[in-house]
Amino acid sequence: MSFLDKIGLKKLKDGLNKTKENLVGKVNRLVNARGVIDDDFLVELEEILLASDIGFETSEKLIEKIKERTLTDKYVDQDELNKLINDELKRVFYDTTSEFKTFDFKSEIKPFVIMVVGVNGVGKTTSIGKLAYNFKNAGKSVLIGSADTFRAAANDQLDIWAKRAGVEIIQSNSSSDPASIAFDTIKSGLSKNTDVIIIDTAGRLHNKTHLMEELKKIKRVMQKVIPDAPHEIFIVIDSTTGQNGLNQAKEFSNALNGLTGIILTKLDGTAKGGIVLKINKEMKLPVRFIGVGEQIDDLQVFESEKFVEAMFGK
Amino acid sequence: MLDDLTSKLDGVLKKIRGQGKINDKNIDESLREVRRVLFDADVNYKVVSKFISDVKEKSLGQNVLTSITPGQLIVKIINDELIKLMGSEKAEIKFSDRIPSVIMMVGLQGSGKTTFSAKLAKYLKAKGRNPLLAACDVYRPAAIEQLKILGKQAGVPVYSDLEEKDVLKISRDAIQYAKENARDTLIIDTAGRLAIDDEMMNEVSKIKDALQPEEILFVVDSMTGQDAVNTAKAFHDKLNYDGVILTKLDGDTRGGAALSIKAVVNVPVKFAGIGEKLDAIEQFHPDRMASRILGMGDIVSFVEKAQTEFDMSESGKLEEKLRKNKFDFNDFLSYMNQIKKMGSLSSLISMIPGANKMLKNQEVDDSALTKVESVILSMTNKERENPNLLNGSRRRRIADGSGNPIQQVNRVIKQFEDMQKMMKQFNRDKGRGLMKKMKLPANLMKEFKA
């Protein structure tokens, strides 16, 4: 039985509870109040959608779809409407198959190198702690490289997470070059035949050219040891993030020649993280994991079906 | 972006030309574009709706003057309304006679409380206060350590108690410590918390009741989307905070959250965080935020930054040289150093209206300056003073010496010659103040398109 099954959907649903109430509650009230899908209804529906950060265009397209589908039959009941929105939202999600749908993924590649990037304060270090814990629990050996040499005490923070997860960590003492730490970590992981290597990087705003150059360099030096590393590059997106999230994903992707997935954090708050729909659609970049709390087991493999279901309810 | 909006609106409003007035029919379509712009800037949908109806009311019946386009007129109305909504006064931190005056920082996880606490401490220290930082985030791993390190960098003591988990006790002890050590200002860094986490919200609420802070500051990430109003409101309901801090404003977010929060809780944004260094803090200018939300760039901040950083005596010397037409590579080098002091090229460019558009999507390469520098540093003193000496073989030597291809060397020399020409031009038009001077880096930046 995989670790995930044990958690099930409960936590996600708990976390998204507020969200669910907001959206479903509002849509329900709206349908009850009007009973008919007319222009006013659509205006109000648009506001509900916009409030979830999915963006003007995505919302506009959804409304168009709903208009089309309700054109013949003006009256739609609550359940039907929920299903309709549900279906359309799921359709917005672009799905990709990845090496791992679960933490105990099978891979020929060893060590499997994951690089984690993102802007400041989104929860990279915490997510890495949780990732390491989950991989470890799934029976993998894990090595973390602490290449955030900039933020004060970032090292200590990651070190505490590594201890909690019970995994090894490589960090700098005096060196201030993140690339050299990444290099050392990959080398060490290779010699120890580690299953998974996770490289943490300092938070950086995506419009700072010199910091993006640094990121490129970290990637380059890893490739000196393992030419096709990193095998995954995850961008961490805070679910409170607005439309800027798309810029973030684009710029990090440009700098690193592509990203492979999103870790969507802080979904236990009131924010809905709707920007990932837009990122997912425009960049064909899937959400891989979601963070739903501050505890070490508060990270889940993302499944769009379940996400949309939890978001909108049945 | 503003140009975009204006031209879009002009397209939509073309038909108004003949009519001479903005009316109900012709404005609706254009306001749709405005809505889109505001949503793209993360302004909350409720605020947008209210705003749009206000703008519509103001615009209806306005005569379209011949001197400006209808698009420009509407953009002006929008800008005026935005400024009105944001407010125009700068807001200060409140202090009392009590020792210490207490400032408490609150906000969501990752909004930047710890970094901003240290920035504020440094800022207040420079203003003559005697701050003490208190580490009250006992939850996030290494948060206390982080504040200690930042406190050291800021030259401000940090009160912490690694054994204690009771945040209320730590903050009370910090007050005592401040009294005993003649610290007149206590800045309390608290843990990030969700507004819906009752237990954690009660914790800060208790600190508020016990300490009665002179100032509670709500720290919010400027990249926040629609949820900003929910969180801002929930924190305000509980804590009735006095000011908002907008962090990470050095990013490329349009920052509509600032407008939404102001509109919903009507608390002024007092400061903005504009970089990772501890002196990257500035007083918030609400009027400028309006332009930023519309995508107008922040020309005023740019000029101010230039004013403080641009060494006046150095630039005086430069002017002297210009007058005598003696601008050489040494001056070029020192001029570049002046620019470097002002920050990265990309951050400077982001403040110039239209510059991003001008450079299209071409990346501005900050390392280009370093390359130019390496070329100049590989010249002999004589060559720097007399660039005419730079013949083919000298250029080749410089290329080898600086590790650049010969083309790079030629390019630098060409840039220098262009610059000399610009300088001469500038010399002729001088006396038009700093704005004129600022054209130079703008032009220079054009040279550094990657």
Side-chain angles (χ1 to χ4, degrees):
Chain A
M1 191 172 167
S2 90
F3 172 76
L4 255 182
D5 297 330
K6 277 185 255 168
I7 301 182
L9 256 183
K10 195 181 169 302
K11 241 185 174 142
L12 172 59
K13 280 207 162 151
D14 286 350
L16 285 173
N17 209 17
K18 193 89 182 172
T19 305
K20 186 179 148 186
E21 271 164 20
N22 281 345
L23 286 165
V24 178
K26 277 181 192 163
V27 172
N28 283 353
R29 252 179 285 133
L30 200 54
V31 178
N32 281 339
R34 300 204 178 274
V36 177
I37 297 193
D38 53 16
D39 283 352
D40 286 349
F41 173 89
L42 291 174
V43 167
E44 287 185 49
L45 181 63
E46 186 190 31
E47 289 191 344
I48 294 170
L49 291 170
L50 284 171
S52 70
D53 285 320
I54 64 173
F56 192 72
E57 269 171 57
T58 317
S59 147
E60 208 171 36
K61 275 179 196 150
L62 269 169
I63 300 274
E64 273 311 306
K65 286 270 163 62
I66 288 164
K67 252 191 200 165
E68 271 170 37
R69 286 177 61 173
T70 52
L71 203 63
T72 42
D73 181 11
K74 283 266 177 185
Y75 183 85
V76 180
D77 73 17
Q78 206 166 293
D79 287 346
E80 266 180 277
L81 188 71
N82 275 341
K83 193 178 169 304
L84 221 151
I85 297 173
N86 235 327
D87 288 353
E88 290 304 334
L89 269 179
K90 276 179 201 160
R91 211 166 296 184
V92 172
F93 260 110
Y94 173 86
D95 215 11
T96 55
T97 48
S98 102
E99 280 285 344
F100 48 93
K101 282 267 181 201
T102 62
F103 288 108
D104 53 357
F105 69 103
K106 303 280 175 288
S107 174
E108 299 297 308
I109 306 165
K110 200 174 173 183
F112 190 88
V113 181
I114 300 170
M115 180 179 185
V116 180
V117 300
V119 299
N120 315 64
V122 287
K124 285 177 295 303
T125 304
T126 306
S127 295
I128 287 169
K130 294 172 179 175
L131 271 180
Y133 171 82
N134 280 298
F135 284 131
K136 175 97 191 301
N137 266 17
K140 310 236 170 249
S141 57
V142 182
L143 178 66
I144 296 176
S146 174
D148 179 356
T149 55
F150 183 81
R151 183 164 60 93
N155 251 341
D156 306 76
Q157 188 184 350
L158 193 58
D159 194 45
I160 294 169
W161 278 111
K163 284 205 177 83
R164 284 182 188 170
V167 305
E168 276 188 77
I169 179 167
I170 300 231
Q171 45 179 287
S172 64
N173 289 322
S174 52
S175 157
S176 64
D177 181 24
S180 75
I181 295 158
F183 181 83
D184 290 349
T185 310
I186 306 289
K187 263 207 139 155
S188 164
L190 193 65
S191 73
K192 288 177 188 154
N193 203 23
T194 307
D195 293 322
V196 182
I197 296 176
I198 311 174
I199 303 289
D200 190 14
T201 61
R204 65 201 74 218
L205 290 174
H206 48 285
N207 58 341
K208 310 245 157 165
T209 318
H210 59 296
L211 294 178
M212 297 311 269
E213 284 300 320
E214 181 191 88
L215 214 51
K216 288 182 197 170
K217 188 178 166 197
I218 296 176
K219 185 182 170 188
R220 271 200 310 273
V221 301
M222 286 196 261
Q223 290 172 333
K224 282 186 183 163
V225 191
I226 301 176
D228 58 347
H231 306 99
E232 300 273 354
I233 304 176
F234 293 144
I235 183 169
V236 180
I237 303 264
D238 183 329
S239 57
T240 61
T241 309
Q243 302 307 302
N244 191 251
L246 182 63
N247 292 11
Q248 293 172 18
K250 278 185 178 164
E251 293 302 323
F252 275 99
S253 179
N254 284 343
L256 293 165
N257 211 1
L259 302 168
T260 63
I262 299 168
I263 301 177
L264 182 62
T265 58
K266 309 183 196 173
L267 262 178
D268 46 334
T270 44
K272 293 140 197 92
I275 187 64
V276 296
L277 269 96
K278 193 169 171 183
I279 299 173
N280 178 271
K281 188 153 181 70
E282 268 198 39
M283 299 176 63
K284 307 277 174 261
L285 187 64
V287 182
R288 287 278 180 248
F289 302 99
I290 52 173
V292 290
E294 290 187 315
Q295 299 309 310
I296 200 161
D297 56 357
D298 289 332
L299 185 84
Q300 299 173 5
V301 173
F302 177 82
E303 289 169 65
S304 59
E305 289 267 318
K306 287 185 182 171
F307 180 70
V308 172
E309 257 169 45
M311 209 169 170
F312 281 86
K314 274 258 173 180
Chain B
M1 197 64 203
L2 179 76
D3 300 341
D4 269 12
L5 180 62
T6 311
S7 59
K8 260 186 201 160
L9 292 183
D10 278 339
V12 173
L13 292 170
K14 249 181 196 151
K15 44 200 170 209
I16 299 188
R17 294 277 179 148
Q19 301 165 5
K21 263 188 185 160
I22 296 176
N23 64 32
D24 214 7
K25 265 187 212 154
N26 55 39
I27 198 173
D28 274 351
E29 205 181 335
S30 53
L31 286 182
R32 225 181 100 79
E33 288 303 325
V34 179
R35 281 185 81 211
R36 180 193 297 269
V37 168
L38 293 176
F39 281 127
D40 284 348
D42 289 321
V43 181
N44 182 265
Y45 69 93
K46 281 184 191 150
V47 179
V48 172
S49 303
K50 167 89 174 61
F51 183 74
I52 291 290
S53 69
D54 285 355
V55 169
K56 187 171 171 180
E57 201 179 302
K58 287 262 154 56
S59 311
L60 282 177
Q62 287 261 6
N63 288 313
V64 180
L65 305 170
T66 41
S67 54
I68 58 170
T69 67
Q72 284 168 336
L73 177 63
I74 291 186
V75 167
K76 189 187 175 300
I77 294 169
I78 291 162
N79 197 39
D80 291 350
E81 286 297 300
L82 273 181
I83 289 172
K84 217 164 83 190
L85 205 61
M86 285 296 325
S88 52
E89 319 86 72
K90 284 188 263 179
E92 304 280 345
I93 299 269
K94 292 194 301 282
F95 293 104
S96 73
D97 293 338
R98 176 168 77 136
I99 302 286
S101 266
V102 178
I103 303 171
M104 179 163 80
M105 319 291 295
V106 298
L108 293 179
Q109 289 92 342
S111 52
K113 287 174 297 303
T114 306
T115 304
F116 197 83
S117 297
K119 284 181 182 177
L120 186 62
K122 190 174 179 188
Y123 176 87
L124 293 177
K125 190 184 165 197
K127 297 256 167 199
R129 307 278 312 180
N130 231 342
L132 170 71
L133 286 156
C136 286
D137 179 355
V138 296
Y139 306 99
R140 182 164 60 92
I144 295 173
E145 189 56 32
Q146 185 186 355
L147 190 66
K148 277 185 180 167
I149 294 171
L150 293 175
K152 205 174 207 176
Q153 286 171 12
V156 172
V158 176
Y159 180 82
S160 66
D161 185 347
L162 286 169
E163 304 303 315
E164 186 55 61
K165 289 287 167 212
D166 179 358
V167 180
L168 189 58
K169 180 164 188 320
I170 299 175
S171 54
R172 278 190 173 131
D173 291 348
I175 292 220
Q176 196 52 39
Y177 183 92
K179 281 182 183 156
E180 285 161 10
N181 292 276
R183 293 279 147 186
D184 58 15
T185 310
L186 175 66
I187 302 171
I188 301 179
D189 179 30
T190 64
R193 65 201 71 221
L194 294 169
I196 48 168
D197 188 335
D198 292 336
E199 202 180 315
M200 289 294 284
M201 290 305 282
N202 285 335
E203 183 196 271
V204 269
S205 197
K206 272 185 207 153
I207 301 180
K208 183 192 168 175
D209 293 344
L211 270 60
Q212 299 290 325
E214 273 73 6
E215 185 92 21
I216 300 179
L217 296 171
F218 174 65
V219 182
V220 64
D221 187 324
S222 59
M223 293 175 277
T224 309
Q226 298 285 324
D227 189 54
V229 290
N230 302 335
T231 308
K233 192 167 180 313
F235 270 84
H236 196 254
D237 289 348
K238 193 85 184 173
L239 297 169
N240 196 19
Y241 51 76
D242 310 276
V244 176
I245 305 294
L246 208 56
T247 58
K248 308 175 205 173
L249 205 55
D250 48 327
D252 60 0
T253 180
R254 305 256 297 284
L259 181 71
S260 308
I261 293 173
K262 180 74 175 43
V264 172
V265 295
N266 198 24
V267 168
V269 181
K270 296 200 169 175
F271 284 94
I274 49 163
E276 301 209 29
K277 288 185 187 144
L278 287 185
D279 48 10
I281 166 176
E282 68 177 20
Q283 273 203 299
F284 185 73
H285 301 275
D287 45 341
R288 296 181 199 169
M289 195 65 207
S291 338
R292 178 166 177 154
I293 289 168
L294 283 179
M296 284 170 70
D298 190 356
I299 189 72
V300 191
S301 288
F302 175 75
V303 172
E304 266 186 11
K305 199 170 166 82
Q307 264 166 341
T308 45
E309 302 284 345
F310 204 92
D311 189 320
M312 285 306 163
S313 67
E314 276 292 316
S315 70
K317 269 187 241 160
L318 206 59
E319 270 193 58
E320 184 65 26
K321 295 218 171 179
L322 288 170
R323 250 199 306 280
K324 294 177 182 162
N325 273 337
K326 271 185 148 177
F327 183 74
D328 64 20
F329 267 113
N330 283 321
D331 304 313
F332 192 20
L333 205 59
S334 92
Y335 187 71
M336 279 197 329
N337 283 329
Q338 299 267 345
I339 292 174
K340 273 208 273 186
K341 271 196 241 164
M342 284 160 54
S344 73
L345 280 181
S346 35
S347 71
L348 287 175
I349 284 178
S350 68
M351 287 191 250
I352 306 173
N356 282 322
K357 205 176 163 199
M358 183 174 80
L359 297 174
K360 294 286 184 241
N361 287 324
Q362 297 189 65
E363 209 174 315
V364 176
D365 188 359
D366 282 309
S367 69
L369 273 184
T370 320
K371 272 184 206 155
V372 174
E373 206 172 17
S374 73
V375 169
I376 300 176
L377 287 173
S378 294
M379 294 176 186
T380 65
N381 240 334
K382 273 194 177 148
E383 286 164 348
R384 284 187 224 173
E385 282 163 16
N386 184 7
N388 292 333
L389 288 174
L390 293 164
N391 59 20
S393 70
R394 283 177 190 262
R395 288 178 190 213
R396 205 162 306 118
R397 192 207 73 240
I398 292 166
D400 290 344
S402 65
N404 286 300
I406 184 96
Q407 292 87 341
Q408 171 71 20
V409 177
N410 289 335
R411 208 152 43 228
V412 172
I413 294 169
K414 175 80 174 46
Q415 279 164 6
F416 170 75
E417 286 165 357
D418 288 350
M419 183 121 171
Q420 258 186 332
K421 274 182 223 152
M422 280 194 309
M423 291 287 188
K424 277 182 197 159
Q425 175 74 33
F426 161 64
N427 200 17
R428 279 199 292 272
D429 307 338
K430 83 175 155 57
R432 299 217 12 219
L434 193 80
M435 277 303 293
K436 199 74 198 171
K437 256 181 235 168
M438 290 337 294
K439 279 206 165 163
L440 285 170
N443 276 321
L444 186 65
M445 281 169 208
K446 256 200 278 186
E447 303 291 332
F448 292 121
K449 286 179 290 188

